[in-house]
Amino acid sequence: MTTSHNPSGEDSLIARYFKPLATDPGAFGLVDDAAILRSSGEDIVVTTDAVVEGVHYLADDPPGAIARKALRVNLSDLAAKGAVPAGFVLTLALRSKEDAWLRPFADALGEDARSFACPLLGGDTVSTPGPQMISITAFGRVPQGRMVGRTGARPGDRILVTGTIGDAVLGLDVLKGGAAAKALASNPRAREMLVSRYRVPQPRNALAQAVRDHATSAMDVSDGLAGDLTKLCAASGVSATIDVASVPLSAAAAGLVARNAVGVATLLAGGDDYEVLCTVPATHSDALLAAGRAVGLAVTAIGTIVEGSGRPRFLDGQGKELALKRLSYSHF
Amino acid sequence: MTTSHNPSGEDSLIARYFKPLATDPGAFGLVDDAAILRSSGEDIVVTTDAVVEGVHYLADDPPGAIARKALRVNLSDLAAKGAVPAGFVLTLALRSKEDAWLRPFADALGEDARSFACPLLGGDTVSTPGPQMISITAFGRVPQGRMVGRTGARPGDRILVTGTIGDAVLGLDVLKGGAAAKALASNPRAREMLVSRYRVPQPRNALAQAVRDHATSAMDVSDGLAGDLTKLCAASGVSATIDVASVPLSAAAAGLVARNAVGVATLLAGGDDYEVLCTVPATHSDALLAAGRAVGLAVTAIGTIVEGSGRPRFLDGQGKELALKRLSYSHF
């Protein structure tokens, strides 16, 4: 598209900021209304997640962090489904088109698109008088019939989780000046680590193939471990027992719990972890743990799937059930 | 998911309103984070378009009309690409979850999903303190390599358009009490027709196969015929001559032009038509016109693709070029 054709502001915004991200031939350089996803018989896994200013991120979060979060919450879904990223489309609802915001946003989005091999395929840019919003639909590929769902957990399966749980909710608390901020007043490195866990998820795509090879069910932990495990169990028609002492915590989170600055229940119900939660037959547990080590990612066994339809039980070191007032974050 | 698991408000909202729309097995009844699009080697066509309250629709538009518009603007893209609808994912940014709004919204969305054979595959529901927004990513299928793009128009091709042009921009003018509202003060039926053309597009999916069989390039007219044709020509590296007298107008629009209540330039640059604009080799022109007749849809030849890189020229009955101040709607 040449400037002699007097492209509209929207077209020139797309050409300027987003065309460089559209490296896949199926994106047609973003000059078409539509993109093409080629398939040679694999299943295309589709996931969609939106982030809203003031709800999922804070208005003064760095634009690059917002871009990464918007894409990574979707990459995290693909990882948990055992899918290899194939591309994404972007809907951007903007109040303004300031270069100071769009340039770092697009640059960071492009960096993540490259490093996760998930190119931009298309999108829509609209103006809004309200909070900004970024909605991404991402695509992945799995061999036919091999997407890892939520319904396959069976009694006896081990429950495994990647990384650490509860850092993001503490990071948000730090940003809001809550209890974690006060307790960590003299520890800027811990504050920074927790904030970065809130702002920029680390999706576990490196583990996707191992999840596909070993897991009977999986999902990413986005609304809180307790609530998400409850959903997985409900979908599979089973229940679970979790050994709370086994739930992996970062040193910062463990320190806050030890000092009673926050309760472990807050971490179990806190959102934005973006870790993979999965169930594997006991005989596959070691293989998945080894796959984690091979890619430098901690994978931890935290409990067992049991028969029943009750809520998962979270047991402390004495076998006493933890009372969880809230299971997860809900928008409504 | 049983209520004994105390689903979050978001989950129960999805189960209540949107699960009945998820009729495709790849949607897993909306209990998973992801959906599956099966493919047996066809290309998947992906398109995404968002509508924002106060920008693309008015806050007091009927919820059912908003739902239909949100889906149909995407179906219209699929039609112009020659694709058969396969499904869609929905991001819904809501201020509240009032049944009085969600019930008619979901019912109308479900009706359209059924009648266009485009089931809901998944989605995300988020809360927003700002204007509501609906972002839809829709999928279609075409045989491999057969999506109709924007780059194939060649000099000598005939330019064809479906339906009528300019009704939607007049409908919006009626809703805003502008010139069209005044000129049609005594003609409620014409006002109603124009408003309905603004609120509820009629995507031309019935013509998709014929577009694939005959068109060298195609797009849907969403931002205004003049601007959209300009984009198509730029993408194809050609120019065009349009016979303005041939551009199909509804009786209501033609009457307003004849009485000088609105200028034809307004209709050519007005958005929201959601008609198919395509180019066909002269030898295929009759076949596409016949295909239109076969499905009861007016298709009209309005001009010719010519060599060059200048803006398309819009000529009146005397061969004089119409000066267009504005080519189309732009968000920025």
Side-chain angles (χ1 to χ4, degrees):
Chain A
M1 191 168 294
T2 65
T3 51
S4 73
H5 283 94
N6 187 22
S8 70
E10 189 177 346
D11 290 334
S12 84
L13 186 155
I14 290 167
R16 183 168 179 190
Y17 296 105
F18 297 108
K19 194 178 166 181
L21 283 61
T23 53
D24 191 278
F28 304 110
L30 304 185
V31 300
D32 211 306
D33 310 275
I36 283 286
L37 264 177
R38 294 254 142 79
S39 163
S40 44
E42 327 90 299
D43 286 345
I44 305 285
V45 176
V46 183
T47 181
T48 191
D49 261 314
V51 295
V52 178
E53 181 188 59
V55 180
H56 302 84
Y57 63 90
L58 306 177
D60 57 357
D61 278 350
I66 298 166
R68 290 185 205 277
K69 184 164 195 172
L71 181 56
R72 290 176 181 209
V73 299
N74 285 283
L75 287 165
S76 178
D77 278 324
L78 294 180
K81 302 291 103 183
V84 175
F88 70 103
V89 295
L90 168 73
T91 295
L92 200 51
L94 295 172
R95 266 192 313 273
S96 76
K97 53 165 188 172
E98 277 174 39
D99 185 74
W101 195 91
L102 274 168
R103 175 51 57 206
F105 180 91
D107 285 350
L109 193 64
E111 272 179 32
D112 269 10
R114 271 190 304 279
S115 57
F116 289 95
C118 192
L120 178 66
L121 294 175
D124 191 20
T125 310
V126 296
S127 58
T128 177
Q132 305 214 117
M133 170 165 158
I134 303 121
S135 174
I136 284 181
T137 302
F139 310 104
R141 298 179 206 276
V142 288
Q144 204 165 26
R146 295 291 308 281
M147 188 186 99
V148 183
R150 286 188 184 181
T151 60
R154 293 294 168 259
D157 284 355
R158 300 293 285 152
I159 301 168
L160 278 66
V161 72
T162 60
T164 54
I165 293 296
D167 297 325
V169 72
L170 294 174
L172 178 58
D173 191 66
V174 166
L175 286 170
K176 291 185 164 174
K182 293 183 186 80
L184 293 171
S186 62
N187 194 341
R189 282 190 57 184
R191 289 203 309 274
E192 204 172 295
M193 183 281 284
L194 295 172
V195 166
S196 117
R197 288 277 288 162
Y198 168 72
R199 281 184 170 155
V200 183
Q202 302 295 330
R204 305 312 188 181
N205 300 78
L207 205 69
Q209 163 126 27
V211 169
R212 205 167 72 216
D213 287 346
H214 302 294
T216 52
S217 72
M219 65 186 295
D220 73 332
V221 183
S222 56
D223 292 337
L225 178 64
D228 287 340
L229 177 63
T230 302
K231 290 178 201 177
L232 186 146
C233 285
S236 290
V238 296
S239 187
T241 307
I242 297 294
D243 172 28
V244 172
S246 300
V247 173
L249 303 183
S250 67
L256 290 168
V257 171
R259 292 156 60 191
N260 284 321
V262 297
V264 71
T266 300
L267 308 184
L268 297 176
D272 283 320
D273 288 315
Y274 299 105
E275 299 292 351
V276 173
L277 169 70
C278 65
T279 60
V280 300
T283 52
H284 285 244
S285 183
D286 286 346
L288 191 59
L289 297 172
R293 281 192 298 275
V295 297
L297 174 61
V299 180
T300 309
I302 60 170
T304 307
I305 295 293
V306 299
E307 286 189 24
S309 62
R311 242 190 225 183
R313 298 170 70 220
F314 290 81
L315 305 180
D316 68 14
Q318 286 73 48
K320 194 170 154 249
E321 188 170 353
L322 202 69
L324 294 176
K325 276 181 223 153
R326 218 169 58 95
L327 293 178
S328 63
Y329 180 78
S330 175
H331 285 292
F332 297 103
Chain B
M1 189 168 296
T2 64
T3 50
S4 72
H5 283 95
N6 186 22
S8 68
E10 189 177 345
D11 291 333
S12 84
L13 185 154
I14 289 167
R16 182 167 179 193
Y17 295 105
F18 296 109
K19 194 177 165 181
L21 282 61
T23 53
D24 190 277
F28 304 109
L30 303 186
V31 301
D32 211 306
D33 311 276
I36 283 287
L37 263 177
R38 294 255 143 79
S39 163
S40 45
E42 328 89 298
D43 286 344
I44 305 285
V45 176
V46 183
T47 183
T48 188
D49 262 312
V51 296
V52 178
E53 181 188 58
V55 180
H56 302 83
Y57 63 90
L58 306 177
D60 58 356
D61 279 351
I66 298 167
R68 290 184 204 277
K69 184 165 194 171
L71 181 56
R72 290 178 179 207
V73 300
N74 285 284
L75 288 166
S76 177
D77 278 325
L78 294 180
K81 303 289 103 182
V84 176
F88 71 103
V89 294
L90 167 74
T91 296
L92 200 51
L94 295 172
R95 265 193 314 273
S96 77
K97 54 166 188 171
E98 277 173 40
D99 185 73
W101 194 91
L102 273 167
R103 175 51 57 207
F105 180 90
D107 285 350
L109 194 64
E111 272 180 31
D112 269 9
R114 271 191 303 280
S115 57
F116 289 95
C118 191
L120 179 66
L121 294 174
D124 191 20
T125 310
V126 297
S127 58
T128 176
Q132 306 214 117
M133 170 166 157
I134 304 122
S135 174
I136 284 182
T137 302
F139 309 103
R141 298 180 206 274
V142 289
Q144 204 166 24
R146 295 291 307 281
M147 187 186 100
V148 183
R150 286 189 185 181
T151 60
R154 293 295 168 258
D157 283 356
R158 301 292 284 154
I159 301 168
L160 278 66
V161 71
T162 59
T164 55
I165 294 296
D167 296 326
V169 71
L170 295 174
L172 177 58
D173 191 65
V174 166
L175 286 170
K176 291 185 164 176
K182 293 183 186 81
L184 294 171
S186 61
N187 193 341
R189 282 189 58 184
R191 288 202 310 274
E192 204 173 294
M193 183 280 285
L194 295 172
V195 166
S196 118
R197 287 277 288 161
Y198 168 72
R199 281 183 171 155
V200 183
Q202 301 295 328
R204 305 312 188 181
N205 300 78
L207 205 67
Q209 164 127 26
V211 169
R212 207 167 70 217
D213 288 346
H214 301 294
T216 52
S217 73
M219 65 187 292
D220 73 332
V221 183
S222 56
D223 291 338
L225 177 64
D228 286 342
L229 178 63
T230 302
K231 290 178 199 174
L232 186 147
C233 285
S236 291
V238 296
S239 187
T241 306
I242 297 294
D243 172 28
V244 172
S246 300
V247 173
L249 304 183
S250 68
L256 289 168
V257 171
R259 291 157 60 191
N260 284 319
V262 297
V264 71
T266 301
L267 309 183
L268 297 176
D272 283 321
D273 288 314
Y274 298 104
E275 298 292 352
V276 173
L277 169 69
C278 65
T279 60
V280 301
T283 51
H284 285 244
S285 182
D286 285 347
L288 192 59
L289 296 172
R293 280 192 299 275
V295 296
L297 174 60
V299 180
T300 308
I302 60 169
T304 307
I305 295 294
V306 298
E307 287 190 22
S309 62
R311 240 190 225 182
R313 299 169 69 219
F314 290 80
L315 306 179
D316 69 14
Q318 286 72 48
K320 196 173 152 242
E321 188 170 352
L322 201 70
L324 295 175
K325 277 182 223 153
R326 217 170 59 95
L327 293 178
S328 63
Y329 180 79
S330 175
H331 285 293
F332 296 103

